[in-house]
Amino acid sequence: MTDGHFDKIALIGIGLIGSSIARAVKAKGLARTVTISSRSQETLDRARELELGTDYVHDAGTAVEGADLVIVSVPVGASGKVAEDIAPHLKPGAIVTDVGSTKTSVVAQMLPHMPKTVHFIPGHPLAGTEHSGPDAGFAELFQNRWCILTPVHGTDKEAKRRLAAFWEALGSKVDEMDTEHHDKVLAIVSHLPHIIAYNIVGTADDLETVTESEVIKYSASGFRDFTRLAASDPTMWRDVCLHNKDAILEMLARFSEDLAYLQRAIRWGDGEKLFDLFTRTRAIRRSIIDAGQDTSAPNFGRPVADKKS
Ligand code: NAP
């Protein structure tokens, strides 16, 4: 069997992430059978119309029967129930993974249900958009993006290698972390930016002296970029906040302290402090571009016609 290839893959959840995996698996021929399961008949029907897999079953337990690789792609708050439902049907030797944005909570929810005969290896592809559902996915989503595996103690090395090879076949770079460290890193690079975006867009919406139509009409790139993050799926982000509570609160406390420092610098006209910080942060942007994680094109490469601000 070639690296990254599985005979049967079961995809539990077929939204943005699940359907992107399905499309990439199909494009790269990584499985003979891809069985798809989703909570609602509507989403399952749509997956069939889009020809994302080879079999479609409503029941997650039935879907995982005989699967060599099971990928759970549902909101993190639902992962425990899914684990409970699929556990009795898992094939001995199967690899079970997930794509949830928080890891300590997912392990706490899923691990107790996992039979000793399967390899449970949690994962998180650092790739996504603000869209959701089976239509939102695309095969290139994971290209050149990191996928972090957070294996539990004693995980079988060969199973880990096979899962890493699968993500690499999807175009990802694979890294490994413990769950707590993952949750701290993600709190700052992903969860906090989304919370700040939800907050700033909410504040603009609540303003009394500036009308909503003015906010929309004059939205310059700064505000517009926040609205993209703030348009992300409410269920997913509610669950991320509830399931990475400690790390998010820790980062929010740091953030509030630093904001107070910035506030003081503005109040006292301390241009030097402002200039120093803005110079430091500009260098971070440069490093992200140098690492190939974003484009250096002005305005994130938006077409010229889009440059209204
Ligand atoms: P999505 O597009 O909203 O799709 C969610 C899928 O989960 C659908 O198949 C949905 O089924 C199913 N689902 C929703 N609630 C459920 C429940 N209570 N029980 C069982 N199934 C349920 O979501 P997504 O963006 O693919 O996110 C899936 C996972 O990937 C989440 O854990 C998220 O944290 C993680 N993730 C997301 C991103 C991102 O940018 N979006 C990036 C990396 C990781 P129905 O449609 O049939 O209801």
Side-chain angles (χ1 to χ4, degrees):
M1 196 173 289
T2 45
D3 254 8
H5 188 279
F6 288 84
D7 190 49
K8 173 177 170 177
I9 296 179
L11 300 176
I12 312 303
I14 195 74
L16 168 72
I17 301 296
S19 77
S20 294
I21 296 172
R23 286 175 170 95
V25 164
K26 190 173 174 182
K28 292 168 191 290
L30 294 177
R32 191 177 57 81
T33 305
V34 178
T35 303
I36 291 173
S37 167
S38 197
R39 177 182 60 165
S40 72
Q41 192 60 45
E42 192 189 344
T43 301
L44 196 60
D45 289 346
R46 188 62 190 141
R48 187 184 285 111
E49 278 163 22
L50 292 166
E51 299 180 4
L52 296 176
T54 54
D55 302 278
Y56 306 85
V57 287
H58 187 60
D59 179 57
T62 311
V64 303
E65 276 167 12
D68 308 286
L69 174 64
V70 175
I71 308 178
V72 177
S73 310
V74 302
V76 288
S79 52
K81 175 74 172 66
V82 169
E84 187 182 354
D85 292 346
I86 62 174
H89 305 271
L90 291 167
K91 171 176 153 178
I95 295 174
V96 180
T97 188
D98 80 305
V99 297
S101 305
T102 74
K103 295 276 55 103
T104 309
S105 155
V106 164
V107 171
Q109 292 179 71
M110 292 186 76
L111 187 59
H113 298 290
M114 289 296 114
K116 297 263 177 293
T117 50
V118 306
H119 306 291
F120 173 56
I121 312 174
H124 179 201
L126 306 192
T129 74
E130 66 276 29
H131 301 296
S132 39
D135 285 279
F138 50 100
E140 302 75 24
L141 179 64
F142 309 108
Q143 200 67 43
N144 204 27
R145 296 277 166 247
W146 285 99
C147 178
I148 301 178
L149 302 181
T150 61
V152 294
H153 184 67
T155 298
D156 180 69
K157 279 202 176 70
E158 176 57 14
K160 208 164 62 181
R161 192 199 61 73
R162 288 193 68 205
L163 183 60
F166 172 77
W167 280 107
E168 280 163 4
L170 261 47
S172 289
K173 302 178 283 187
V174 179
D175 225 339
E176 205 178 301
M177 280 180 200
D178 68 58
T179 58
E180 272 186 32
H181 189 64
H182 166 279
D183 288 356
K184 278 195 180 160
V185 171
L186 267 293
I188 190 65
V189 301
S190 170
H191 306 169
L192 212 60
H194 278 83
I195 290 165
I196 292 165
Y198 282 122
N199 192 54
I200 195 171
V201 176
T203 302
D205 193 38
D206 291 341
L207 284 177
E208 282 131 24
T209 49
V210 181
T211 64
E212 192 181 314
S213 65
E214 282 175 311
V215 168
I216 292 166
K217 183 172 169 189
Y218 299 119
S219 85
S221 61
F223 185 73
R224 229 174 33 195
D225 291 342
F226 277 117
T227 61
R228 188 186 70 73
L229 290 182
S232 299
D233 189 70
T235 306
M236 168 185 160
W237 284 97
R238 176 203 62 196
D239 279 13
V240 167
C241 290
L242 297 179
H243 290 269
N244 197 20
K245 182 175 155 183
D246 293 345
I248 289 174
L249 288 178
E250 189 183 324
M251 294 304 167
L252 266 177
R254 284 291 298 268
F255 175 79
S256 304
E257 277 175 30
D258 292 344
L259 192 61
Y261 172 88
L262 200 54
Q263 202 173 355
R264 246 192 336 269
I266 295 169
R267 186 183 307 286
W268 297 109
D270 192 340
E272 203 178 324
K273 272 199 181 124
L274 297 174
F275 189 82
D276 284 353
L277 174 67
F278 300 165
T279 305
R280 199 151 50 89
T281 55
R282 194 177 218 192
I284 301 260
R285 170 81 189 147
R286 171 55 49 203
S287 313
I288 289 171
I289 291 162
D290 290 348
Q293 294 300 302
D294 207 350
T295 170
S296 63
N299 207 13
F300 302 102
R302 287 188 183 108
V304 177
D306 199 24
K307 285 184 189 168
K308 293 189 189 119
S309 54

Short mmCIF file of all heavy atoms in Angstrom, two decimals, residues 187-235:
data_model
loop_
_atom_site.label_atom_id
_atom_site.label_comp_id
_atom_site.label_asym_id
_atom_site.label_seq_id
_atom_site.Cartn_x
_atom_site.Cartn_y
_atom_site.Cartn_z
N ALA A 187 -4.66 29.44 20.84
CA ALA A 187 -5.39 30.53 21.49
C ALA A 187 -4.88 31.87 20.97
O ALA A 187 -5.66 32.78 20.70
CB ALA A 187 -5.25 30.44 23.01
N ILE A 188 -3.56 31.99 20.81
CA ILE A 188 -3.02 33.29 20.38
C ILE A 188 -3.07 33.47 18.86
O ILE A 188 -3.39 34.55 18.39
CB ILE A 188 -1.59 33.54 20.95
CG1 ILE A 188 -1.16 35.00 20.69
CG2 ILE A 188 -0.55 32.61 20.42
CD1 ILE A 188 -1.95 36.05 21.39
N VAL A 189 -2.79 32.40 18.09
CA VAL A 189 -2.71 32.62 16.63
C VAL A 189 -4.07 32.56 15.94
O VAL A 189 -4.23 33.04 14.83
CB VAL A 189 -1.72 31.66 15.92
CG1 VAL A 189 -0.31 31.80 16.48
CG2 VAL A 189 -2.18 30.21 15.96
N SER A 190 -5.06 31.95 16.58
CA SER A 190 -6.34 31.80 15.90
C SER A 190 -7.54 32.22 16.76
O SER A 190 -8.37 33.00 16.31
CB SER A 190 -6.49 30.32 15.48
OG SER A 190 -7.79 30.06 15.02
N HIS A 191 -7.60 31.73 18.00
CA HIS A 191 -8.82 31.96 18.77
C HIS A 191 -8.97 33.42 19.18
O HIS A 191 -10.05 34.01 19.01
CB HIS A 191 -8.85 31.02 19.99
CG HIS A 191 -8.68 29.57 19.60
ND1 HIS A 191 -8.45 28.56 20.49
CD2 HIS A 191 -8.70 28.97 18.37
CE1 HIS A 191 -8.33 27.40 19.85
NE2 HIS A 191 -8.47 27.63 18.56
N LEU A 192 -7.87 34.02 19.68
CA LEU A 192 -7.95 35.42 20.09
C LEU A 192 -8.27 36.35 18.91
O LEU A 192 -9.16 37.21 19.04
CB LEU A 192 -6.64 35.84 20.78
CG LEU A 192 -6.79 36.88 21.87
CD1 LEU A 192 -7.69 36.39 22.98
CD2 LEU A 192 -5.43 37.25 22.45
N PRO A 193 -7.59 36.20 17.77
CA PRO A 193 -7.95 37.06 16.63
C PRO A 193 -9.43 36.97 16.26
O PRO A 193 -10.05 37.98 15.94
CB PRO A 193 -7.07 36.53 15.50
CG PRO A 193 -5.89 35.94 16.19
CD PRO A 193 -6.39 35.39 17.48
N HIS A 194 -10.00 35.78 16.33
CA HIS A 194 -11.43 35.66 16.02
C HIS A 194 -12.28 36.36 17.08
O HIS A 194 -13.24 37.06 16.75
CB HIS A 194 -11.85 34.18 15.90
CG HIS A 194 -11.53 33.60 14.55
ND1 HIS A 194 -10.29 33.11 14.22
CD2 HIS A 194 -12.29 33.46 13.44
CE1 HIS A 194 -10.30 32.69 12.97
NE2 HIS A 194 -11.50 32.88 12.47
N ILE A 195 -11.92 36.21 18.35
CA ILE A 195 -12.68 36.85 19.43
C ILE A 195 -12.59 38.38 19.31
O ILE A 195 -13.58 39.09 19.46
CB ILE A 195 -12.17 36.36 20.80
CG1 ILE A 195 -12.57 34.88 20.97
CG2 ILE A 195 -12.73 37.20 21.95
CD1 ILE A 195 -11.84 34.17 22.09
N ILE A 196 -11.39 38.87 18.99
CA ILE A 196 -11.21 40.32 18.81
C ILE A 196 -12.07 40.79 17.63
O ILE A 196 -12.73 41.82 17.70
CB ILE A 196 -9.71 40.66 18.59
CG1 ILE A 196 -8.94 40.39 19.88
CG2 ILE A 196 -9.53 42.10 18.15
CD1 ILE A 196 -7.43 40.34 19.71
N ALA A 197 -12.09 40.01 16.56
CA ALA A 197 -12.90 40.38 15.38
C ALA A 197 -14.38 40.38 15.73
O ALA A 197 -15.10 41.32 15.39
CB ALA A 197 -12.62 39.41 14.24
N TYR A 198 -14.84 39.34 16.42
CA TYR A 198 -16.26 39.31 16.81
C TYR A 198 -16.57 40.54 17.67
O TYR A 198 -17.62 41.17 17.53
CB TYR A 198 -16.57 38.03 17.62
CG TYR A 198 -16.74 36.78 16.78
CD1 TYR A 198 -15.95 35.66 16.97
CD2 TYR A 198 -17.72 36.73 15.77
CE1 TYR A 198 -16.11 34.51 16.19
CE2 TYR A 198 -17.88 35.58 14.99
CZ TYR A 198 -17.08 34.48 15.22
OH TYR A 198 -17.23 33.35 14.44
N ASN A 199 -15.61 40.90 18.53
CA ASN A 199 -15.85 42.02 19.44
C ASN A 199 -15.87 43.36 18.70
O ASN A 199 -16.76 44.17 18.92
CB ASN A 199 -14.76 42.02 20.53
CG ASN A 199 -15.10 42.95 21.66
OD1 ASN A 199 -16.18 42.84 22.24
ND2 ASN A 199 -14.23 43.88 21.95
N ILE A 200 -14.92 43.59 17.83
CA ILE A 200 -14.83 44.90 17.15
C ILE A 200 -16.03 45.09 16.22
O ILE A 200 -16.62 46.18 16.14
CB ILE A 200 -13.47 45.10 16.43
CG1 ILE A 200 -13.29 46.58 16.09
CG2 ILE A 200 -13.32 44.29 15.19
CD1 ILE A 200 -11.91 46.92 15.59
N VAL A 201 -16.42 44.02 15.54
CA VAL A 201 -17.58 44.15 14.64
C VAL A 201 -18.85 44.35 15.46
O VAL A 201 -19.71 45.16 15.10
CB VAL A 201 -17.67 42.93 13.69
CG1 VAL A 201 -18.91 43.01 12.82
CG2 VAL A 201 -16.43 42.85 12.80
N GLY A 202 -18.92 43.68 16.61
CA GLY A 202 -20.06 43.88 17.51
C GLY A 202 -20.10 45.30 18.04
O GLY A 202 -21.16 45.93 18.10
N THR A 203 -18.92 45.86 18.40
CA THR A 203 -18.86 47.23 18.90
C THR A 203 -19.35 48.20 17.83
O THR A 203 -20.15 49.10 18.10
CB THR A 203 -17.40 47.60 19.31
OG1 THR A 203 -16.98 46.67 20.30
CG2 THR A 203 -17.31 49.01 19.85
N ALA A 204 -18.88 48.03 16.61
CA ALA A 204 -19.29 48.92 15.51
C ALA A 204 -20.80 48.83 15.31
O ALA A 204 -21.47 49.84 15.07
CB ALA A 204 -18.56 48.52 14.22
N ASP A 205 -21.33 47.63 15.48
CA ASP A 205 -22.76 47.42 15.29
C ASP A 205 -23.58 48.11 16.39
O ASP A 205 -24.71 48.54 16.17
CB ASP A 205 -23.03 45.90 15.31
CG ASP A 205 -24.42 45.56 14.82
OD1 ASP A 205 -24.87 46.24 13.88
OD2 ASP A 205 -25.04 44.65 15.39
N ASP A 206 -22.95 48.24 17.58
CA ASP A 206 -23.67 48.83 18.72
C ASP A 206 -23.53 50.35 18.81
O ASP A 206 -24.17 50.99 19.63
CB ASP A 206 -23.12 48.23 20.04
CG ASP A 206 -23.51 46.77 20.18
OD1 ASP A 206 -24.45 46.35 19.48
OD2 ASP A 206 -22.87 46.05 20.97
N LEU A 207 -22.62 50.94 17.99
CA LEU A 207 -22.37 52.39 18.11
C LEU A 207 -23.63 53.19 17.83
O LEU A 207 -24.39 52.87 16.92
CB LEU A 207 -21.28 52.82 17.12
CG LEU A 207 -19.84 52.46 17.47
CD1 LEU A 207 -18.92 52.91 16.35
CD2 LEU A 207 -19.41 53.11 18.79
N GLU A 208 -23.79 54.26 18.63
CA GLU A 208 -24.98 55.09 18.41
C GLU A 208 -24.69 56.30 17.54
O GLU A 208 -25.56 56.80 16.84
CB GLU A 208 -25.55 55.55 19.76
CG GLU A 208 -26.33 54.45 20.46
CD GLU A 208 -25.92 54.27 21.90
OE1 GLU A 208 -25.41 55.24 22.49
OE2 GLU A 208 -26.11 53.16 22.43
N THR A 209 -23.39 56.77 17.59
CA THR A 209 -23.07 58.02 16.88
C THR A 209 -22.68 57.77 15.42
O THR A 209 -22.60 58.70 14.64
CB THR A 209 -21.91 58.75 17.58
OG1 THR A 209 -20.87 57.80 17.79
CG2 THR A 209 -22.36 59.36 18.90
N VAL A 210 -22.40 56.51 15.08
CA VAL A 210 -22.08 56.18 13.69
C VAL A 210 -23.12 55.16 13.25
O VAL A 210 -23.32 54.15 13.91
CB VAL A 210 -20.66 55.55 13.58
CG1 VAL A 210 -20.33 55.24 12.13
CG2 VAL A 210 -19.61 56.46 14.19
N THR A 211 -23.79 55.42 12.16
CA THR A 211 -24.87 54.52 11.78
C THR A 211 -24.33 53.24 11.14
O THR A 211 -23.21 53.23 10.62
CB THR A 211 -25.83 55.19 10.77
OG1 THR A 211 -25.08 55.44 9.59
CG2 THR A 211 -26.44 56.46 11.32
N GLU A 212 -25.13 52.21 11.17
CA GLU A 212 -24.71 50.93 10.59
C GLU A 212 -24.43 51.10 9.09
O GLU A 212 -23.48 50.55 8.56
CB GLU A 212 -25.82 49.90 10.80
CG GLU A 212 -25.36 48.50 10.50
CD GLU A 212 -26.45 47.46 10.68
OE1 GLU A 212 -27.14 47.52 11.71
OE2 GLU A 212 -26.61 46.62 9.78
N SER A 213 -25.25 51.95 8.44
CA SER A 213 -25.02 52.12 7.00
C SER A 213 -23.68 52.81 6.74
O SER A 213 -23.02 52.54 5.75
CB SER A 213 -26.17 52.88 6.35
OG SER A 213 -26.23 54.17 6.86
N GLU A 214 -23.25 53.70 7.67
CA GLU A 214 -21.94 54.35 7.50
C GLU A 214 -20.81 53.35 7.70
O GLU A 214 -19.81 53.37 6.98
CB GLU A 214 -21.79 55.50 8.50
CG GLU A 214 -22.53 56.75 8.08
CD GLU A 214 -22.47 57.83 9.16
OE1 GLU A 214 -22.74 57.52 10.33
OE2 GLU A 214 -22.14 58.97 8.82
N VAL A 215 -20.98 52.46 8.68
CA VAL A 215 -19.96 51.44 8.94
C VAL A 215 -19.76 50.58 7.68
O VAL A 215 -18.65 50.27 7.27
CB VAL A 215 -20.37 50.55 10.14
CG1 VAL A 215 -19.48 49.32 10.24
CG2 VAL A 215 -20.30 51.34 11.44
N ILE A 216 -20.88 50.24 7.06
CA ILE A 216 -20.80 49.39 5.87
C ILE A 216 -20.29 50.17 4.67
O ILE A 216 -19.37 49.75 3.97
CB ILE A 216 -22.18 48.75 5.60
CG1 ILE A 216 -22.48 47.75 6.75
CG2 ILE A 216 -22.23 48.05 4.24
CD1 ILE A 216 -23.89 47.29 6.83
N LYS A 217 -20.85 51.39 4.48
CA LYS A 217 -20.48 52.20 3.32
C LYS A 217 -19.00 52.58 3.31
O LYS A 217 -18.33 52.50 2.29
CB LYS A 217 -21.34 53.47 3.34
CG LYS A 217 -21.15 54.41 2.17
CD LYS A 217 -22.19 55.51 2.24
CE LYS A 217 -21.90 56.63 1.27
NZ LYS A 217 -22.80 57.77 1.51
N TYR A 218 -18.47 52.98 4.48
CA TYR A 218 -17.10 53.49 4.52
C TYR A 218 -16.11 52.43 5.02
O TYR A 218 -14.99 52.76 5.37
CB TYR A 218 -17.02 54.73 5.40
CG TYR A 218 -17.89 55.85 4.89
CD1 TYR A 218 -18.92 56.36 5.66
CD2 TYR A 218 -17.69 56.39 3.61
CE1 TYR A 218 -19.73 57.38 5.18
CE2 TYR A 218 -18.51 57.39 3.12
CZ TYR A 218 -19.53 57.90 3.91
OH TYR A 218 -20.32 58.88 3.43
N SER A 219 -16.54 51.18 5.09
CA SER A 219 -15.65 50.17 5.68
C SER A 219 -14.32 50.12 4.93
O SER A 219 -14.25 49.73 3.77
CB SER A 219 -16.33 48.79 5.67
OG SER A 219 -16.12 48.16 4.46
N ALA A 220 -13.28 50.56 5.60
CA ALA A 220 -11.94 50.55 5.01
C ALA A 220 -11.35 49.17 5.24
O ALA A 220 -11.93 48.35 5.95
CB ALA A 220 -11.09 51.63 5.67
N SER A 221 -10.20 48.91 4.68
CA SER A 221 -9.68 47.54 4.70
C SER A 221 -9.55 46.99 6.12
O SER A 221 -9.79 45.81 6.35
CB SER A 221 -8.35 47.48 3.98
OG SER A 221 -7.43 48.31 4.64
N GLY A 222 -9.18 47.82 7.09
CA GLY A 222 -9.02 47.34 8.46
C GLY A 222 -10.29 46.67 8.96
O GLY A 222 -10.29 45.50 9.34
N PHE A 223 -11.39 47.40 8.92
CA PHE A 223 -12.66 46.87 9.42
C PHE A 223 -13.12 45.69 8.57
O PHE A 223 -13.59 44.68 9.08
CB PHE A 223 -13.72 47.98 9.43
CG PHE A 223 -15.02 47.56 10.05
CD1 PHE A 223 -15.13 47.38 11.42
CD2 PHE A 223 -16.13 47.31 9.25
CE1 PHE A 223 -16.32 46.98 11.99
CE2 PHE A 223 -17.32 46.90 9.82
CZ PHE A 223 -17.42 46.73 11.19
N ARG A 224 -12.94 45.84 7.25
CA ARG A 224 -13.37 44.77 6.34
C ARG A 224 -12.66 43.45 6.66
O ARG A 224 -13.28 42.39 6.63
CB ARG A 224 -13.02 45.20 4.92
CG ARG A 224 -14.16 45.04 3.96
CD ARG A 224 -13.84 45.59 2.62
NE ARG A 224 -12.44 45.45 2.25
CZ ARG A 224 -11.90 46.12 1.24
NH1 ARG A 224 -12.62 46.94 0.52
NH2 ARG A 224 -10.63 45.96 0.94
N ASP A 225 -11.36 43.53 6.96
CA ASP A 225 -10.63 42.30 7.26
C ASP A 225 -11.14 41.65 8.54
O ASP A 225 -11.18 40.43 8.66
CB ASP A 225 -9.12 42.57 7.34
CG ASP A 225 -8.55 42.92 5.96
OD1 ASP A 225 -9.23 42.61 4.96
OD2 ASP A 225 -7.47 43.51 5.90
N PHE A 226 -11.54 42.48 9.51
CA PHE A 226 -12.13 41.92 10.73
C PHE A 226 -13.48 41.26 10.43
O PHE A 226 -13.81 40.24 11.03
CB PHE A 226 -12.34 43.02 11.78
CG PHE A 226 -11.11 43.32 12.58
CD1 PHE A 226 -10.51 44.57 12.54
CD2 PHE A 226 -10.54 42.35 13.40
CE1 PHE A 226 -9.37 44.84 13.28
CE2 PHE A 226 -9.41 42.62 14.15
CZ PHE A 226 -8.81 43.87 14.08
N THR A 227 -14.25 41.85 9.52
CA THR A 227 -15.58 41.26 9.24
C THR A 227 -15.45 39.87 8.61
O THR A 227 -16.33 39.04 8.78
CB THR A 227 -16.45 42.15 8.32
OG1 THR A 227 -15.79 42.32 7.08
CG2 THR A 227 -16.76 43.48 8.96
N ARG A 228 -14.35 39.63 7.90
CA ARG A 228 -14.17 38.29 7.32
C ARG A 228 -14.06 37.26 8.45
O ARG A 228 -14.76 36.26 8.45
CB ARG A 228 -12.91 38.23 6.44
CG ARG A 228 -12.79 36.93 5.66
CD ARG A 228 -11.49 36.81 4.91
NE ARG A 228 -10.34 36.62 5.79
CZ ARG A 228 -10.05 35.50 6.45
NH1 ARG A 228 -10.84 34.45 6.35
NH2 ARG A 228 -8.98 35.42 7.21
N LEU A 229 -13.22 37.56 9.44
CA LEU A 229 -13.10 36.63 10.58
C LEU A 229 -14.41 36.54 11.35
O LEU A 229 -14.83 35.45 11.77
CB LEU A 229 -12.00 37.11 11.54
CG LEU A 229 -10.55 37.03 11.07
CD1 LEU A 229 -9.61 37.50 12.18
CD2 LEU A 229 -10.19 35.60 10.69
N ALA A 230 -15.08 37.68 11.50
CA ALA A 230 -16.31 37.71 12.32
C ALA A 230 -17.49 37.05 11.60
O ALA A 230 -18.56 36.89 12.18
CB ALA A 230 -16.65 39.14 12.69
N ALA A 231 -17.28 36.67 10.34
CA ALA A 231 -18.34 35.96 9.61
C ALA A 231 -18.18 34.44 9.75
O ALA A 231 -18.93 33.68 9.16
CB ALA A 231 -18.28 36.34 8.14
N SER A 232 -17.21 34.01 10.54
CA SER A 232 -16.97 32.56 10.69
C SER A 232 -18.13 31.88 11.40
O SER A 232 -18.90 32.53 12.11
CB SER A 232 -15.68 32.33 11.48
OG SER A 232 -14.60 32.90 10.79
N ASP A 233 -18.19 30.57 11.24
CA ASP A 233 -19.35 29.80 11.70
C ASP A 233 -19.61 29.96 13.22
O ASP A 233 -18.75 29.65 14.04
CB ASP A 233 -19.10 28.31 11.38
CG ASP A 233 -20.34 27.49 11.63
OD1 ASP A 233 -21.30 27.65 10.86
OD2 ASP A 233 -20.36 26.72 12.62
N PRO A 234 -20.80 30.44 13.58
CA PRO A 234 -21.11 30.69 15.01
C PRO A 234 -21.04 29.43 15.88
O PRO A 234 -20.58 29.48 17.02
CB PRO A 234 -22.53 31.26 15.00
CG PRO A 234 -22.79 31.68 13.60
CD PRO A 234 -21.92 30.84 12.72
N THR A 235 -21.49 28.29 15.35
CA THR A 235 -21.47 27.05 16.15
C THR A 235 -20.03 26.64 16.44
O THR A 235 -19.66 26.35 17.58
CB THR A 235 -22.18 25.90 15.41
OG1 THR A 235 -23.47 26.33 15.06
CG2 THR A 235 -22.24 24.64 16.26
#
